[in-house]
Amino acid sequence: MNRIACLLVSASLLSSGVVFAQGELDAYRYSQTELNGTARYLGMGGAFGALGGDISSMSSNPAGLGIYRSSEIVTTLSLSSIKAKSDWGGSKVDANKTKFNFDNIAYVGYFPTGNDEGLIGWNVGFSYNRVKNFNRNYRLRGTQNYSLADYAAAKASYAGTDRNSGEWFGIPENEMPPFGVVNNESDLVYDKLGAYNGGWLSGLAYQSGMIGANQANVNDTYYHSAFAEWDQNNQNWYSDSRPDDVGLDVSESGAIDQYDFSFATNISNRVFIGATIAVTDLNYRMSSSYFENYLYTDNSMDYLDWGNTLRVDGTGYSFNLGVIVRPADYLRLGVAYNSPIWYKMTDSYWGYADTHNENYPEDPDVSGETPAGPYPYTNYKLRTADKWIFSVAGIIGQTALISLDYELGNYKYMKLSDPYGYEHYEALNHDLIQKDFGLAHTLKLGAEVKITPQFAVRAGANWRTSPMKKEFREGAFEVFPAGTVAHYTLDKGTISYSVGLGYRFTPNFYMDLACVYRQYKEDAYTFSKVIIEDNNGLHTLVDSEAIGLKTNTTQVALTLGYKF
């Protein structure tokens, strides 16, 4: 009920010309990071919050720099094999991608004071670290009870509500892009469609012949799938528009790169304090291709194709604060706060569609597209989630160590705003973010054993829960994707296991190697269900199906380091 109220408010705002180009799932996508860093850090599952002594701690608990007793230069390379496996009602499809990455390079400087007590030394660090890879391809193949045309028709029919009466209204047909016509005038039409909920998607569907309009009365416009029979008496479309073959191909690439500037100090070898200021560079690229085929007994076939490209670039800043306490030689305790990242973002996007429909014998092939090129683009601001890290580590002489980190990420207060910081996105995004997201819990466990003074073996594990609340994660609510991109995924958690080796060739030069296996579980949707509320209660106009999606990544990382 509250979600519908959010939609009603948003429709009212949209009618005044505010364009919502981003959604809550976009905010979540760009708020995520993953296990990445040096090979030693990876080999121990990232559990370094109380240990320190590794450049990756700059991105988590910068107090770890205070552990250093020498200066160091380090760099890491990795090779990742990403395999996405989907299961759509027993129809299983795999898609693979292999990527070589330059993961980090860093310098740590150690400046001793010469004191045995009190302020013993200062440390500074500068690092480049890749904290997130978006690279993957995935494919979905199956059948479903509703068509993308049904979804677009429902969005067009219930695109807003009247400010005074609260009655739903559809997009007037004369405000739609010209049927089957692509020219400069249609670009202006798309500008105006931003005033409606789902306006761009509905406009592209109408332009490409996927949906048609029926004027039920003077005030309301109802749309229907062009692949279905229309019942003028019941003002509804029949379910025989179910496609016989459905597929979606998605290709994602890009990364989140972080540049850390850190400072730490050592007080009496018992307390270590550190701080990091980080500059973050984000780039995300997505292209998708969706199709539906309708097969008939006379061997004829109708179809629709729907494609999208999306480019996202952002620059942000954040800070990290941390403390490590060493109450005994065998025990270390750590706590750190990682602030949100405050981003300035730019999106550019393009959608296209075409249909073949024998219901239009004079013109069965129709196509459409949104404005292309560097326009349209959207500038906005994003505040990501912040997190707290609590850590404990046990040191067993010079032979072994074990470490445990617990991270608490707060995704409830992610925020989207316009370029000036005003929450124009609040009705459809900010309120929904608070309703749909909560806390993410991450547990990291790592261990290291030195077989010889030069040779070490490591193992680790990393478990992260989804911050999406249960009903939202299980697909009970309508989701509002951006622009003409109808598909999306819902996070169901991540688990990683890792092993590693380390070898010190000389007192100064060393090499670390790690192998990480990571499984990310999601439910994928080709489009959302559509739910409306009127005087008779809630109604599901279009339903959607969850498609199991697992992304398995095997990463091999090599780190080379030199101490001086």
Side-chain angles (χ1 to χ4, degrees), residues 302-460:
D302 290 337
Y303 64 82
L304 68 84
D305 292 322
W306 186 273
N308 284 278
T309 62
L310 174 65
R311 297 172 57 92
V312 182
D313 295 284
T315 301
Y317 65 91
S318 61
F319 66 88
N320 303 333
L321 302 173
V323 177
I324 295 176
V325 178
R326 194 169 137 258
D329 292 344
Y330 60 84
L331 180 66
R332 293 179 189 172
L333 305 173
V335 61
Y337 173 71
N338 295 176
S339 78
I341 302 174
W342 291 273
Y343 277 113
K344 289 184 178 180
M345 307 281 282
T346 300
D347 292 3
S348 59
Y349 39 88
W350 178 63
Y352 69 90
D354 61 77
T355 62
H356 177 84
N357 193 336
E358 293 296 337
N359 287 332
Y360 304 117
E362 296 181 358
D363 191 10
D365 296 299
V366 184
S367 62
E369 65 179 43
T370 67
Y375 177 85
Y377 64 90
T378 301
N379 294 320
Y380 60 99
K381 290 184 177 181
L382 166 67
R383 184 184 69 196
T384 69
D386 62 350
K387 64 184 176 182
W388 285 90
I389 306 171
F390 305 93
S391 313
V392 59
I395 313 296
I396 307 172
Q398 301 295 318
T399 304
L401 56 86
I402 186 168
S403 182
L404 178 68
D405 284 8
Y406 169 65
E407 294 184 3
L408 186 64
N410 188 354
Y411 288 82
K412 185 176 181 179
Y413 295 108
M414 297 182 296
K415 186 177 78 171
L416 292 160
S417 57
D418 71 8
Y420 307 101
Y422 295 105
E423 291 185 88
H424 286 177
Y425 299 88
E426 180 158 357
L428 187 55
N429 288 318
H430 185 63
D431 285 356
L432 291 183
I433 286 172
Q434 294 205 18
K435 289 180 174 63
D436 295 337
F437 289 87
L439 301 176
H441 306 274
T442 302
L443 192 65
K444 301 178 180 180
L445 178 65
E448 178 183 81
V449 177
K450 287 188 176 180
I451 307 301
T452 70
Q454 292 78 33
F455 179 62
V457 296
R458 304 171 184 123

Side-chain angles (χ1 to χ4, degrees), residues 29 33 130 134 244 293 308 324 328 418 426 449 488 507 531 561:
R29 180 191 302 122
T33 59
R130 177 153 290 183
F134 292 111
D244 300 288
N293 293 328
N308 284 278
I324 295 176
D418 71 8
E426 180 158 357
V449 177
Y488 59 93
I531 303 172

Side-chain angles (χ1 to χ4, degrees), residues 13-92:
L13 289 174
L14 287 169
S15 66
S16 63
V18 180
V19 179
F20 293 103
Q22 297 77 36
E24 56 184 327
L25 293 181
D26 300 285
Y28 178 60
R29 180 191 302 122
Y30 310 132
S31 290
Q32 295 183 80
T33 59
E34 61 190 7
L35 179 64
N36 218 352
T38 66
R40 187 183 181 212
Y41 181 86
L42 291 171
M44 294 180 61
F48 265 81
L51 284 175
D54 189 279
I55 66 101
S56 301
S57 61
M58 292 189 228
S59 299
S60 54
N61 187 348
L65 283 185
I67 304 296
Y68 275 90
R69 292 296 178 271
S70 63
S71 298
E72 182 176 348
I73 296 176
V74 63
T75 190
T76 302
L77 306 173
S78 71
L79 182 67
S80 297
S81 173
I82 306 103
K83 185 175 184 179
K85 306 171 67 174
S86 66
D87 186 349
W88 191 348
S91 179
K92 300 180 180 181

Side-chain angles (χ1 to χ4, degrees), residues 201-265:
L201 186 143
S202 299
L204 181 59
Y206 181 88
Q207 186 182 28
S208 60
M210 283 173 50
I211 63 175
N214 178 68
Q215 293 289 342
N217 56 54
V218 176
N219 297 319
D220 298 322
T221 299
Y222 292 91
Y223 290 82
H224 61 92
S225 166
F227 299 94
E229 296 288 337
W230 178 250
D231 187 338
Q232 294 187 14
N233 294 323
N234 293 329
Q235 298 177 0
N236 207 340
W237 48 92
Y238 292 120
S239 60
D240 62 359
S241 62
R242 172 176 175 167
D244 300 288
D245 185 23
V246 180
L248 173 69
D249 291 278
V250 179
S251 177
E252 297 175 296
S253 62
I256 300 177
D257 295 325
Q258 189 166 293
Y259 302 86
D260 295 322
F261 305 87
S262 301
F263 171 84
T265 187

